[in-house]
Amino acid sequence: RDSVASRGLGDVYKRQPFNNVTVSPTGRMQICCISEHNFTFDSNKRHINEFKDINEWFHGPYMNKIRDAMLNGKYLKECAGCYKLEKLDRQSLRNWENDLYLKNNSSAPLDKIELNQLNVKFGNKCNLKCKMCFPYSSSELWKEWKELGWNINDPNKGGNWKYYDSYYEEDYDWPTKKENLDKLKAMAQFCNRVHFTGGEPMISPALFRWLKHCIDKKYSKDIDLEIVTNGTKIHPRFCMMAEQFKSITIHLSIDGLDNTYDSVSYTHLTLPTNREV
């Protein structure tokens, strides 16, 4: 971050728009996984269905304007969440990603544009409906919200969940479309770090198809793989496939143990209290 700050960009620069593409659960393309849905610049296309390939988005006019704005020290509406955390003197994703980029090379160029990372949320299909979650990331919660009529009269609107008005109408099934998965497969040979969530990625056929593609093409040995999972559906097949990647990091989404976990996740699964997670 010293290198970022020394160039007068410490308050605005974020590495991800220069090397990463994020696909949200609805298939909407974003500058990062937590970017706000208030947009600094207009764009006539934002959905993976609308692009012939990932590079069309990454090198398109919207992303070019985002990068130019950052290099010119301009604040962005999309980054409001990180700005708020930093005002509270808390670590933001923006600062964390910058630190990671500059960790082994403090003189790394900040304006280098090279797409070598993916952050993909394979729809909202999930086997749980955790209380701390949201329909945007859980199909089971989405079913419940529709039964309660909250998809029409959202009780959280204007509250803590700042999602855009049309998120209910977006395409949660985009990972089932072959052409979309092909777009992600085409990027595998250029990636050194890939981060998958959902929904629950371990129940997504698209995840396993993408992993198999990387293994078959010998790309996996150069990819650091990260998976966020609730840990209830880790198939032995995944463990065998994961061994073929350069590294594997599994983030377990567990917000308590025993009765607390039972209550949060609406399950009857009890985890031992003496188990390290």
Side-chain angles (χ1 to χ4, degrees), residues 44-268:
N44 62 340
K45 296 193 293 186
R46 297 189 191 276
H47 200 282
I48 191 171
N49 292 339
E50 300 174 304
F51 297 98
K52 65 176 185 282
D53 58 43
I54 299 298
N55 272 302
E56 185 186 355
W57 157 261
F58 183 72
H59 293 288
Y62 172 78
M63 289 296 290
N64 287 336
K65 290 177 183 177
I66 289 289
R67 288 186 286 261
D68 287 344
M70 286 186 173
L71 293 173
N72 284 287
K74 296 180 180 179
Y75 285 79
L76 298 169
K77 296 177 183 178
E78 292 86 344
C79 299
C82 283
Y83 300 154
K84 291 174 185 176
L85 284 176
E86 291 158 14
K87 285 183 179 179
L88 297 172
D89 200 28
R90 293 171 60 185
Q91 177 81 327
S92 68
L93 178 63
R94 186 181 75 87
N95 284 337
W96 188 85
E97 288 287 348
N98 289 347
D99 287 345
L100 186 64
Y101 178 60
L102 297 172
K103 182 178 180 181
N104 298 315
N105 184 7
S106 60
S107 61
L110 301 184
D111 58 353
K112 183 178 182 179
I113 300 173
E114 182 181 20
L115 178 52
N116 54 28
Q117 298 184 17
L118 292 175
N119 188 313
V120 180
K121 301 176 184 295
F122 279 126
N124 72 339
K125 186 177 181 181
C126 187
N127 59 314
L128 300 181
K129 49 181 179 179
C130 302
K131 291 181 179 178
M132 78 291 183
C133 196
F134 198 64
Y136 187 69
S137 299
S138 169
S139 55
E140 290 300 305
L141 275 178
W142 175 220
K143 292 176 186 177
E144 186 175 86
W145 277 48
K146 286 195 290 186
E147 290 173 0
L148 294 169
W150 290 358
N151 58 313
I152 299 173
N153 184 20
D154 186 346
N156 288 303
K157 195 158 188 174
N160 293 327
W161 293 100
K162 302 293 187 182
Y163 287 101
Y164 52 95
D165 290 339
S166 63
Y167 71 91
Y168 289 126
E169 302 167 7
E170 295 282 357
D171 181 9
Y172 289 104
D173 293 326
W174 70 264
T176 66
K177 299 173 182 176
K178 182 181 180 300
E179 60 270 25
N180 286 335
L181 187 56
D182 286 345
K183 296 169 190 176
L184 298 177
K185 286 180 178 179
M187 295 308 305
Q189 62 183 307
F190 306 109
C191 290
N192 55 37
R193 179 183 169 207
V194 180
H195 184 99
F196 289 123
T197 76
E200 172 50 51
M202 293 296 185
I203 62 174
S204 171
L207 170 68
F208 287 89
R209 289 169 185 155
W210 191 88
L211 296 179
K212 184 178 184 303
H213 171 79
C214 292
I215 294 170
D216 291 346
K217 295 293 185 179
K218 311 298 183 185
Y219 303 144
S220 56
K221 60 182 175 57
D222 298 316
I223 298 175
D224 293 313
L225 186 64
E226 299 178 1
I227 306 280
V228 179
T229 173
N230 60 39
T232 64
K233 297 288 185 179
I234 301 179
H235 196 278
R237 182 188 175 203
F238 170 79
C239 298
M240 291 186 289
M241 297 178 84
E243 291 179 348
Q244 306 301 313
F245 285 78
K246 181 179 179 181
S247 73
I248 173 70
T249 301
I250 296 180
H251 302 275
L252 292 176
S253 179
I254 297 176
D255 288 72
L257 299 176
D258 294 322
N259 291 335
T260 300
Y261 181 83
D262 215 25
S263 174
V264 167
S265 61
Y266 287 86
T267 71
H268 296 290

